[in-house]
Amino acid sequence: MEGGYDHLRASGGNLTRIPVLVLWAHLNFEAGSMTLFSLNSSSLENFLLQKLSHVIGQAPIRIVLPSGAEISPRDAAPAGTLVIHDRQTLLRIILSPEIEFGDAYTEGRVEIEGDLVEVLAAVFRSLSGRNPGSWFARLRSKLLEWTQANTLHGSREHIHRHYDLSTDFYKLWLDSEMLYTCAYFESPSVPLEAAQIDKMDLICRKLQLQRGERVIEAGCGWGSFALYMAEEYGVRVKAFNISQEQLAYARATAKRRGLADRVEFIEDDYRNIRGKSDVFVSVGMLEHVGTENYRALGEVIHTTIGNSGRGLLHFIGMNRPRPLSAWIRKRIFPGANPPTLSQMMPPLFEPWNYAVLDVENLRLHYAQTLRHWRNRFDHSADRVAQMFGEQFVRLWRLYLAGSEAGFVAGSLQLFQLLFAGSECRQIPWTRAHLYEKNQQTAKQEATWMHAAS
């Protein structure tokens, strides 16, 4: 464990080592009392269980230890049971809940009995509006911010750690277009493939793309959206990305589909984007930029589309400023920082007098997208274990379930924000165009619906 703390150790059911003085003061101070308790096993475990219940906001969760000690909600049926396999793990989770719970689940030191998403959503709801956890947890979170700064070098390393795991891995559970962002479901029964095409077409309609226009896409993933814009709307696209594996896949796909002359995939950071365009679009990148870099991104946007262009940002966000889960930043998405609208609008838009034309929140659509991904991931778990090992399977299962729970509980949001320069003439009179599908999209959806029925 980081930070040089001594741990609680059990031998024959009896405590044989006591935490350092700082930990002792922390536990008792936050419990609201400096009263000392007996160091016998049962009283210590009961105290720690009460402490953990407080840490997770009195969530309706049953917590069980190997000794049989447990704590259950008083006035509600438990959403599930958290089984903690040793006292040391219990103490670690109390000190730093996000990181230590995630690591303990990954390593099999804790188990969840019941629906994992429901249990996590219950905890997120119970913590809604509360201040961050202990000083120790806040310190670890702040250290991650310092060590994961989204500099030019840092951003490349962060993207490499996540997106360059292997395209074959992502193929196991993403849709056929390899879209790793929120889909758009006209109804919950729509298949994932159709919903992802609907998402791309919805963005194109919001932007009112016109044949022959120039589009810059920042953070293009495996290239599907850039190719869709070119093929279905007749625009020319320059798509930027710093994931070598994704770019190799995107370029091969463009060549195979005969679109290499209309879509250029460029390996470079968004801060180095140059050239003029009519439209700027970014799907799933803003949460990797960092609030300290928003003005730089705004300057890039203004350099490319000027005062007459328009753009759309599609990104994970939050309702109030707070760091993303420290465990996700440490183990899954280094440098990730979903913003609130109030954090991103002033530095991105105000210096250039950009007008916000439309904001839509697709939070429940992302929960549905993650449900599809999680089910597909679980179906491919044996193959994933062969590729990366059993702990990797547990790590990613928790990440997908926790993300789904965040959108279900409302601690995460998904914003689509349309904006334009002061001289833009492509401003719609009504919102009718948002609900008139591209003919090709409608045909594809009919095919998928038939296949899924």
Side-chain angles (χ1 to χ4, degrees):
M1 185 177 179
E2 297 174 359
Y5 281 87
D6 291 334
H7 304 314
L8 290 170
R9 296 180 181 174
S11 176
N14 296 316
L15 184 67
T16 60
R17 195 167 185 181
I18 302 174
V20 293
L21 180 60
V22 173
L23 172 59
W24 178 267
H26 161 73
L27 287 173
N28 283 278
F29 177 77
E30 291 210 355
S33 169
M34 289 301 292
T35 303
L36 300 182
F37 51 81
S38 167
L39 288 182
N40 66 69
S41 178
S42 61
S43 62
L44 177 60
E45 288 184 343
N46 288 335
F47 173 81
L48 293 176
L49 284 171
Q50 291 287 345
K51 178 63 182 176
L52 179 56
S53 179
H54 174 76
V55 166
I56 63 174
Q58 309 294 334
I61 305 296
R62 178 171 170 258
I63 307 171
V64 178
L65 300 180
S67 64
E70 68 171 81
I71 188 170
S72 296
R74 293 179 180 178
D75 303 320
T81 299
L82 170 63
V83 181
I84 301 176
H85 292 316
D86 61 83
R87 200 184 296 167
Q88 180 173 301
T89 296
L90 171 61
L91 180 57
R92 287 184 172 192
I93 294 173
I94 290 170
L95 275 174
S96 187
E98 291 178 342
I99 291 179
E100 295 300 341
F101 170 78
D103 286 352
Y105 182 88
T106 298
E107 296 164 10
R109 292 183 282 114
V110 303
E111 300 288 347
I112 297 291
E113 295 178 356
D115 186 282
L116 182 57
V117 173
E118 288 185 12
V119 170
L120 295 173
V123 174
F124 295 160
R125 290 189 185 102
S126 72
L127 294 174
S128 177
R130 284 185 49 170
N131 291 326
S134 70
W135 63 269
F136 184 67
R138 294 195 298 272
L139 176 60
R140 295 187 81 177
S141 179
K142 183 59 67 175
L143 286 172
L144 280 176
E145 289 183 34
W146 292 335
T147 59
Q148 294 182 350
N150 285 296
T151 62
L152 282 167
H153 174 74
S155 293
R156 186 173 290 273
E157 287 297 312
H158 300 160
I159 294 303
H160 173 70
R161 271 187 56 186
H162 187 89
Y163 294 99
D164 289 342
L165 278 170
S166 133
T167 296
D168 288 340
F169 164 64
Y170 289 103
K171 281 183 177 179
L172 292 174
W173 50 278
L174 295 181
D175 68 294
S176 56
E177 292 291 324
M178 296 291 288
L179 289 157
Y180 190 21
T181 50
C182 175
Y184 178 71
F185 296 86
E186 290 198 340
S187 74
S189 63
V190 172
L192 179 62
E193 271 74 14
Q196 287 290 17
I197 294 294
D198 282 347
K199 181 268 299 294
M200 292 192 290
D201 204 66
L202 176 66
I203 294 174
C204 292
R205 296 198 305 274
K206 285 186 175 184
L207 288 166
Q208 292 198 300
L209 295 184
Q210 306 296 312
R211 185 169 295 277
E213 287 189 314
R214 301 159 299 170
V215 177
I216 283 180
E217 183 186 10
C220 64
W222 284 275
S224 290
F225 184 45
L227 298 174
Y228 184 87
M229 288 188 286
E231 192 166 38
E232 300 299 330
Y233 283 83
V235 299
R236 305 185 71 85
V237 184
K238 286 187 177 182
F240 290 77
N241 196 346
I242 51 178
S243 166
Q244 294 179 347
E245 182 132 353
Q246 288 184 326
L247 282 173
Y249 182 93
R251 288 165 178 160
T253 305
K255 185 176 181 180
R256 185 177 68 251
R257 290 167 56 176
L259 294 168
D261 61 331
R262 285 187 275 168
V263 181
E264 182 182 3
F265 290 105
I266 301 167
E267 184 182 345
D268 209 341
D269 189 272
Y270 71 88
R271 282 162 280 209
N272 296 325
I273 291 175
R274 299 292 183 271
K276 299 296 182 181
S277 70
D278 304 291
V279 173
F280 183 98
V281 63
S282 173
V283 180
M285 188 194 78
L286 188 64
E287 51 269 62
H288 302 292
V289 168
T291 54
E292 70 278 8
N293 295 315
Y294 286 165
R295 187 179 176 92
L297 174 59
E299 188 170 353
V300 166
I301 293 172
H302 187 253
T303 299
T304 60
I305 66 172
N307 296 323
S308 60
R310 60 204 187 276
L312 183 141
L313 302 176
H314 168 123
F315 60 96
I316 297 171
M318 293 185 176
N319 284 340
R320 61 188 182 91
R322 58 188 175 85
L324 183 65
S325 159
W327 180 78
I328 286 182
R329 285 182 286 140
K330 184 170 184 177
R331 302 300 184 200
I332 302 288
F333 269 125
N337 185 12
T340 65
L341 292 175
S342 64
Q343 284 178 304
M344 52 81 63
M345 284 193 201
L348 273 168
F349 300 144
E350 289 181 9
W352 297 275
N353 196 31
Y354 281 155
V356 174
L357 304 181
D358 185 84
V359 180
E360 186 170 10
N361 190 333
L362 299 176
R363 171 174 70 88
L364 296 181
H365 293 256
Y366 215 156
Q368 182 75 348
T369 304
L370 281 151
R371 192 169 299 120
H372 280 280
W373 289 345
R374 184 170 53 87
N375 289 338
R376 292 175 178 217
F377 178 87
D378 285 341
H379 185 73
S380 300
D382 290 343
R383 178 74 183 105
V384 175
Q386 292 172 8
M387 297 169 70
F388 299 107
E390 291 291 346
Q391 285 197 8
F392 183 91
V393 172
R394 290 178 65 89
L395 180 140
W396 272 73
R397 180 176 290 129
L398 181 60
Y399 153 61
L400 292 171
S403 299
E404 181 182 338
F407 287 104
V408 167
S411 54
L412 295 174
Q413 314 296 323
L414 192 285
F415 297 117
Q416 283 189 350
L417 192 152
L418 182 68
F419 63 95
S422 57
E423 299 173 14
C424 178
R425 296 295 176 261
Q426 287 296 117
I427 297 179
W429 191 254
T430 72
R431 294 171 58 87
H433 62 288
L434 298 184
Y435 308 104
E436 297 171 358
K437 282 187 177 179
N438 177 300
Q439 289 185 353
Q440 181 64 24
T441 302
K443 289 179 182 178
Q444 288 176 318
E445 182 173 288
T447 302
W448 285 316
M449 286 294 198
H450 177 74
S453 60

